[in-house]
Amino acid sequence: MKPSISREELLARAYETADKYGLASLSVRGLATGCDVSVGTIYNYFSSKTELTTATAELYFKRAFFEEFCHPSDDERYLDYCVRMFESMVKTLEHFRIHWLKGADSLPAAEKAAAHLREEKSFGHIRDGLITIFENDAAIRPDRPECLSAEAVSEFTLRNVLAELRSEKPDCSVLFAMLDKALYEE
C-alpha cells in the first residue's frame, strides 16, 4: 500500500475511471484498489461515495468550462464569447452524456441531487463571468434600453443557452441574432 496519497491524486484517478466507464462505475472500494490505498484513506478525503461522485463530476465541469471560459481575450465581444461558450458547451455536454453518464440510471438519487447542486454553482460562476465580459465590451451600445443591463442580459443569455443545451438539437442562432441587434450598432 502507498504510504500517502493526496485528494487531487484520488480525484485524478476517479476522473480517469469515470471518463472511461461512466460515473456510475465509481466506488470507494474500486478507487482504493486502483490507487493501492485502504478504503479508510478514501474516506479521509471523501465522507461518502456521493461526495466522491459529485467531486469527480465537478472536476469534469471545472476542466471543461472554467478552464476554457475563464480566459476571454481582452477585446473579445460579449456576443463572440457567448457563441464560443455555447459551441464548447455543446461538445462538452455531448462528451459527458456519452462517456460519463453510462449507467447513470443506477446512481442513487442523493448522488444525482448533490451533482445538480454543484452544477448550479458552476452556472452561477459562468453567469458572473458573462456579466464581467458584458461590462468590459466597449462595442455594446451605450444608448440601449435600461432593461438590457449586464446582469439582465447575462442571466437571459445563460438561461436560454442552458434551455437549448437540453433540447434534441441545440441551436442558439435566434438568441445570438437578437443579442447582436439589441446590443451592437449596425
Side-chain angles (χ1 to χ4, degrees):
M1 298 239 169
K2 280 186 178 180
S4 70
I5 191 166
S6 70
R7 184 177 197 278
E8 290 73 27
E9 290 172 303
L10 292 171
L11 265 178
R13 179 62 67 92
Y15 184 98
E16 290 171 13
T17 301
D19 197 45
K20 200 177 234 180
Y21 305 109
L23 273 174
S25 69
L26 285 179
S27 72
V28 171
R29 186 168 307 286
L31 183 59
T33 300
C35 292
D36 196 27
V37 297
S38 70
V39 170
T41 298
I42 306 298
Y43 284 117
N44 285 335
Y45 295 105
F46 305 97
S47 63
S48 65
K49 180 181 180 283
T50 298
E51 187 178 335
L52 172 64
T53 302
T54 55
T56 305
E58 184 176 41
L59 179 60
Y60 176 82
F61 286 107
K62 181 180 179 188
R63 287 180 178 177
F65 292 147
F66 297 148
E67 292 172 7
E68 173 83 18
F69 302 129
C70 288
H71 309 290
S73 63
D74 290 337
D75 59 344
E76 188 169 25
R77 293 182 339 147
Y78 177 81
L79 179 58
D80 297 335
Y81 179 85
C82 290
V83 169
R84 184 169 64 87
M85 176 187 75
F86 173 71
E87 290 170 355
S88 183
M89 284 177 142
V90 167
K91 290 177 192 166
T92 296
L93 290 175
E94 182 178 332
H95 177 84
F96 189 79
R97 287 178 185 131
I98 292 169
H99 297 281
W100 285 63
L101 293 182
K102 287 184 240 175
D105 294 342
S106 67
L107 285 173
E111 288 181 37
K112 290 177 185 176
H116 185 68
L117 282 175
R118 296 221 181 159
E119 178 184 61
E120 291 299 320
K121 189 172 144 185
S122 299
F123 293 143
H125 179 78
I126 292 169
R127 185 193 61 246
D128 293 346
L130 287 172
I131 291 169
T132 300
I133 292 163
F134 186 102
E135 291 170 341
N136 292 323
D137 184 351
I140 291 178
R141 300 168 40 167
D143 65 337
R144 68 187 182 278
E146 225 176 271
C147 64
L148 297 179
S149 68
E151 293 82 5
V153 172
S154 296
E155 181 67 36
F156 178 80
T157 301
L158 184 58
R159 194 173 336 116
N160 282 276
V161 164
L162 294 176
E164 277 302 313
L165 291 171
R166 290 181 185 102
S167 71
E168 180 96 11
K169 294 187 184 223
D171 179 5
C172 281
S173 57
V174 172
L175 171 65
F176 296 147
M178 289 174 25
L179 287 172
D180 189 35
K181 289 289 185 198
L183 299 178
Y184 299 99
E185 301 285 340
E186 294 193 36

